[in-house]
Amino acid sequence: MLRTLRLIPTLSRANMHSTAHNFGAAQARLKEPEDCLAFNAEFPGPCHYHQLYEESLANPDTFWTNIASQLHFKHKSDKGLEYNFDQRKGDVFVKFMDGSITNVAFNCLERNIFRGLGDKIAYKWEGNADGDYESITYNELRTKVVEFSRVLKNRGVKKGDVVGIYLPMIVELPIAMLACARIGAIHSVVFAGFSSNALAERLRQSGAKTLITCDGFYRGKKHIPLKSIADEALMICKNINHSVESTICFEHLKRVTATGAASEVAVINDEENWDNAVADSKEVSAPVEWCQAEDPLFILYTSGSTGAPKGIVHTNAGYMTSAYYSMQVTFDAKPETDVYWCMADCGWITGHTYAVYGPLLNGMTSVLFEGIPSFPDYSRTWKIVDKHQVSKLYTSPTAVRSMMAHPDHMVKDYERSKLKVIGTVGEPMNPCAWKWLNEVVGEKACAIVDTYWQTETGCHLLTSHHTAVPQQSGCGNLPFLGISPQLLDDNGKKIRGEGHGTLVVDRAWPGMMRTIWGDHKRFIDAYFSPYPGYYFTGDGAKRDDEGHYWVTGRVDDLMNVSGHLLSTAEIEAAIASHPMVVEAAVVATSHKVKGQTPYAFVTIPDTAKFSDKIVNEMKAIIRKKIGPIAVPDIIQFAPGLPKTRSGKIVRRILRKVADGEKEANLGDTSTLTDETVIHELWVNRPIKL
Ligand code: 6R9
């Protein structure tokens, strides 16, 4: 029965019109379906990609509502996609199946149980310690979700309320998310690696009155006292006039093997304790809350280029449809036989769409991993792949780079014969990482699928689907079904055919964000004002003569560290809060494993000495305010910063210093107020060139 899930919308060819995209060359070379099978005969997938793609753009309403019809709606309206991307024509908005009524958690759980999947394993949980393992079936998961929905109801959480979730990768994380979805509450997951300040700021911004956390966890050998960090965040919340009324804390540490010394023992009051809360709410009724298609499902904060994080809002019907379908197509989902593993944390969008909603909507069995690829050693990933006979793996270039630095036997000692598709996300895939995945991990029998997308897009935008794009290193991506990307030049003019420009999208798709929580103006300013009529991704891209896209990186002031977006402004603000700092500028520099890493230039008063002590204090502030991931590898003393006459820091020059370029290769410096500061930057570089 599950096999019939892949839907091929039926549209008459006569209805199709050609799109503005230049796929001519690709199509000429790739005649479907025979030729695409030649690329990889083992993988069926959407061989008819080009035909499906044309259909998805020619008649999007039919295309998407046909897909949605495989999911459960209590009521279906006759609406499809409605949107306006051009603020000159009125408010910017996106809607899908407006007026329809559904529930995403019901679709993830009850719908699968009614289809006979109740005893199927939903999650195979691998703990941080090798040997800590648990599995949970769809029936059991539903029982836990209902239990926790009762807890939330008992705490007064109502439809439309925001619930903060601060948990590591344990089954209670999807349980808490699904319980929110079941009762129509809006979850706002905060990555468990974020600091108390970052958590407090997100709780305040989202208006969350309830916080779900756990006592602590181990990350490798390191004990993370999550409850103490959460308590600190609640204190900070009080100081910033936001009160969180209710905390629920899961006792996780008692069920795991300690892999290091516990730094602090959490204090959990009886009324905070998850198990007590479950016992106390047994009689509470928590039925499925039927939600409007456009009711918010969740908020997820992502870095903003001006510093303050943006609360991206996703809604029920559209997000559900895109998560369901993109999971199915990109990974060639075969729910009866697949064991799927998305290595991303649920604190990021990849964990939301491709570790929780996508796989559950498709009735998949997934691995949920609490640990890190380096613990107990770098063979852990492959040990898990072998143990669970993983067939589809979703990872990141940064994880791949960290693993490929170790001997091949750490992979080859483990069986990977079931592995068929390896997806990557977060950053561009570099050729040597691709080669390693292809040759060492996949032994040339796996499809390697780069996926480009964003928190804002909710689902894949560009992918190198292996049946549509030749499987070879350095191949670009094609748009996902229903996605219509464009490249714009510096004047905002569409680039036709080959070229390099700003990546935008000219029409809506169901799973895209709807607004920024509490700041619709910022939503318009950030994403729709730069190029009216287009969704602005913030990335640059090239398009080759075959219509393949190559994302080249951010065009704004964000950097991508190990697949996580960080704002330079946010790190600069943290450094500037050190009392000695006169001015700070942060740029991204390339890093062998992390892709990019922050590099800071700091000016202190002439009278003060730039010492290791000051540098360590600054690092501690960044760690506390943002989190360890944002700590620069190098904090360099800069007697002055290069500035334009209008006072704008010229980061182009700072990037050159950080990248270790020779002083002579500076480019034009004529717009600087004081050219003498430049030489000083090279003189003060801690690693001499
Ligand atoms: C899913 C996710 C989004 C930003 C995005 C871009 C970068 C993501 C990429 C990629 C090149 C890929 N990015 N995937 N760049 N190739 N395959 O990562 O969401 O955390 O919001 O980051 O990440 O710069 O704009 P998010």
Side-chain angles (χ1 to χ4, degrees):
M1 182 181 168
L2 283 169
R3 269 200 188 281
T4 60
L5 280 179
R6 176 166 299 119
L7 176 99
I8 301 163
T10 44
L11 290 174
S12 83
R13 275 238 159 241
N15 278 346
M16 286 178 220
H17 62 255
S18 178
T19 69
H21 298 274
N22 175 22
F23 291 118
Q27 270 172 318
R29 213 169 46 92
L30 182 67
K31 287 196 198 70
E32 296 169 333
E34 298 80 10
D35 275 8
C36 70
L37 284 174
F39 284 134
N40 219 324
E42 272 193 51
F43 307 110
C47 272
H48 40 284
Y49 165 83
H50 293 285
Q51 180 194 334
L52 258 187
Y53 181 70
E54 293 285 326
E55 288 174 3
S56 71
L57 294 193
N59 200 341
D61 287 351
T62 314
F63 184 85
W64 288 114
T65 51
N66 268 348
I67 290 161
S69 70
Q70 297 175 17
L71 296 160
H72 180 81
F73 283 78
K74 197 173 164 64
H75 166 74
K76 269 192 218 153
S77 73
D78 58 358
K79 300 275 172 57
L81 265 172
E82 299 167 275
Y83 66 96
N84 172 36
F85 277 8
D86 191 341
Q87 58 177 321
R88 295 167 304 191
K89 298 182 184 157
D91 188 26
V92 175
F93 72 91
V94 178
K95 291 179 190 170
F96 178 62
M97 293 178 77
D98 193 28
S100 302
I101 292 173
T102 188
N103 183 285
V104 180
F106 180 92
N107 273 285
C108 290
L109 301 169
E110 282 85 348
R111 182 178 140 272
N112 285 323
I113 293 167
F114 293 151
R115 296 188 308 159
L117 301 183
D119 291 330
K120 181 176 180 169
I121 292 177
Y123 284 117
K124 290 167 165 255
W125 178 76
E126 274 289 334
N128 174 65
D130 195 359
D132 282 357
Y133 173 73
E134 268 173 31
S135 66
I136 187 164
T137 64
Y138 275 86
N139 271 331
E140 290 162 343
L141 186 62
R142 178 186 175 267
T143 304
K144 299 243 175 219
V145 168
V146 173
E147 262 175 16
F148 199 67
S149 304
R150 295 191 173 120
V151 170
L152 293 174
K153 282 272 181 186
N154 209 16
R155 297 292 175 108
V157 177
K158 300 182 300 304
K159 178 168 184 270
D161 287 349
V162 180
V163 174
I165 303 178
Y166 188 53
L167 284 172
M169 285 291 276
I170 57 178
V171 181
E172 286 66 26
L173 178 45
I175 290 172
M177 292 163 73
L178 292 164
C180 290
R182 178 180 171 88
I183 64 164
I186 304 164
H187 57 73
S188 172
V189 178
V190 178
F191 174 53
F194 272 153
S195 67
S196 52
N197 279 289
L199 171 61
E201 187 47 40
R202 284 158 180 76
L203 289 171
R204 185 190 66 78
Q205 273 198 41
S206 64
K209 299 273 190 230
T210 308
L211 176 64
I212 303 160
T213 186
C214 77
D215 46 0
F217 65 104
Y218 290 90
R219 200 178 148 73
K221 290 185 185 151
K222 199 164 173 215
H223 171 248
I224 314 286
L226 204 65
K227 175 64 166 53
S228 313
I229 304 171
D231 283 342
E232 219 174 275
L234 297 184
M235 290 301 292
I236 300 168
C237 278
K238 277 199 184 126
N239 294 336
I240 52 178
N241 275 333
H242 174 70
S243 91
V244 173
E245 288 153 10
S246 180
T247 309
I248 303 150
C249 181
F250 184 76
E251 281 186 279
H252 172 55
L253 288 172
K254 68 181 181 194
R255 71 174 172 188
V256 301
T257 310
T259 49
S263 49
E264 280 167 65
V265 181
V267 183
I268 306 171
N269 303 327
D270 282 352
E271 65 272 15
E272 291 174 328
N273 187 296
W274 176 301
D275 290 340
N276 290 351
V278 169
D280 287 349
S281 51
K282 283 216 154 41
E283 306 303 320
V284 177
S285 149
V288 167
E289 182 81 46
W290 294 104
C291 299
Q292 288 288 328
E294 287 304 328
D295 281 342
L297 174 66
F298 66 83
I299 305 169
L300 186 60
Y301 282 87
T302 183
S303 293
S305 53
T306 54
K310 297 183 279 203
I312 302 301
V313 177
H314 284 284
T315 55
N316 279 270
Y319 175 80
M320 173 170 78
T321 305
S322 282
Y324 167 72
Y325 188 59
S326 58
M327 164 80 217
Q328 210 178 86
V329 172
T330 302
F331 293 99
D332 273 348
K334 306 228 178 339
E336 307 94 324
T337 49
D338 270 342
V339 176
Y340 162 80
W341 178 18
C342 167
M343 291 174 72
D345 195 288
C346 291
W348 311 107
I349 190 67
T350 307
H352 279 59
T353 308
Y354 298 107
V356 179
Y357 291 112
L360 293 179
L361 288 164
N362 281 286
M364 304 285 280
T365 293
S366 301
V367 173
L368 193 75
F369 179 43
E370 183 191 21
I372 46 177
S374 56
F375 183 77
D377 61 40
Y378 274 97
S379 62
R380 185 70 192 278
T381 302
W382 315 111
K383 207 169 173 184
I384 295 175
V385 167
D386 182 343
K387 178 174 168 191
H388 300 294
Q389 296 287 292
V390 171
S391 52
K392 311 284 162 72
L393 180 70
Y394 201 14
T395 184
S396 63
T398 192
V400 172
R401 287 192 295 267
S402 73
M403 291 188 280
M404 64 189 249
H406 300 273
D408 289 356
H409 76 82
M410 302 195 97
V411 180
K412 295 196 162 170
D413 288 350
Y414 299 92
E415 204 205 298
R416 290 148 281 123
S417 61
K418 290 270 179 357
L419 205 54
K420 292 281 179 279
V421 177
I422 306 173
T424 62
V425 59
E427 313 152 64
M429 188 61 177
N430 47 318
C432 55
W434 191 95
K435 191 165 179 286
W436 185 79
L437 273 185
N438 184 38
E439 288 171 12
V440 179
V441 178
E443 299 189 8
K444 299 192 177 164
C446 274
I448 296 156
V449 182
D450 177 33
T451 62
Y452 163 83
W453 60 296
Q454 307 175 302
T455 306
E456 293 87 339
T457 67
C459 64
H460 300 147
L461 276 196
L462 303 171
T463 74
S464 51
H465 196 284
H466 47 82
T467 57
V469 174
Q471 284 285 292
Q472 63 196 33
S473 169
C475 240
N477 293 353
L478 289 174
F480 187 72
L481 302 162
I483 304 294
S484 174
Q486 301 288 350
L487 295 181
L488 303 183
D489 65 18
D490 290 346
N491 302 317
K493 287 250 161 354
K494 258 192 223 175
I495 298 171
R496 310 256 170 208
E498 243 178 295
H500 187 185
T502 302
L503 180 65
V504 297
V505 188
D506 69 10
R507 62 179 78 182
W509 63 98
M512 71 180 295
M513 69 176 156
R514 299 301 196 251
T515 188
I516 290 177
W517 187 250
D519 201 346
H520 194 63
K521 183 175 177 302
R522 188 172 177 203
F523 164 74
I524 297 171
D525 290 349
Y527 302 108
F528 297 94
S529 294
Y531 301 98
Y534 297 100
Y535 164 70
F536 168 61
T537 60
D539 287 300
K542 285 189 294 194
R543 186 171 45 217
D544 65 21
D545 60 349
E546 295 181 310
H548 292 143
Y549 287 83
W550 306 69
V551 175
T552 48
R554 303 291 308 181
V555 295
D556 52 20
D557 280 341
L558 293 183
M559 66 180 87
N560 190 328
V561 182
S562 300
H564 301 151
L565 283 190
L566 294 174
S567 138
T568 51
E570 204 179 353
I571 307 174
E572 283 167 7
I575 299 177
S577 70
H578 186 286
M580 293 290 265
V581 172
V582 174
E583 195 168 37
V586 173
V587 294
T589 183
S590 57
H591 186 278
K592 244 171 63 196
V593 173
K594 296 188 257 186
Q596 290 189 311
T597 185
Y599 187 121
F601 296 85
V602 177
T603 309
I604 59 169
D606 291 345
T607 47
K609 188 171 160 0
F610 198 78
S611 62
D612 285 351
K613 181 170 167 286
I614 293 184
V615 167
N616 290 335
E617 283 167 3
M618 289 175 197
K619 288 188 175 177
I621 294 176
I622 300 166
R623 201 170 291 120
K624 194 160 166 31
K625 282 195 183 255
I626 309 171
I629 192 157
V631 175
D633 280 14
I634 296 179
I635 298 185
Q636 162 174 348
F637 171 60
L641 293 172
K643 290 197 183 150
T644 61
R645 277 160 230 277
S646 61
K648 212 168 174 348
I649 295 170
V650 186
R651 285 163 208 280
R652 171 176 59 83
I653 291 175
L654 297 178
R655 257 180 239 124
K656 290 204 165 177
V657 181
D659 289 344
E661 275 204 32
K662 295 262 175 336
E663 191 177 344
N665 304 336
L666 256 191
D668 179 30
T669 56
S670 59
T671 55
L672 300 185
T673 33
D674 178 5
E675 284 186 57
T676 59
V677 300
I678 295 177
H679 177 65
E680 298 290 326
L681 295 175
W682 267 269
V683 173
N684 284 291
R685 203 176 184 281
I687 300 165
K688 295 296 168 214
L689 302 171

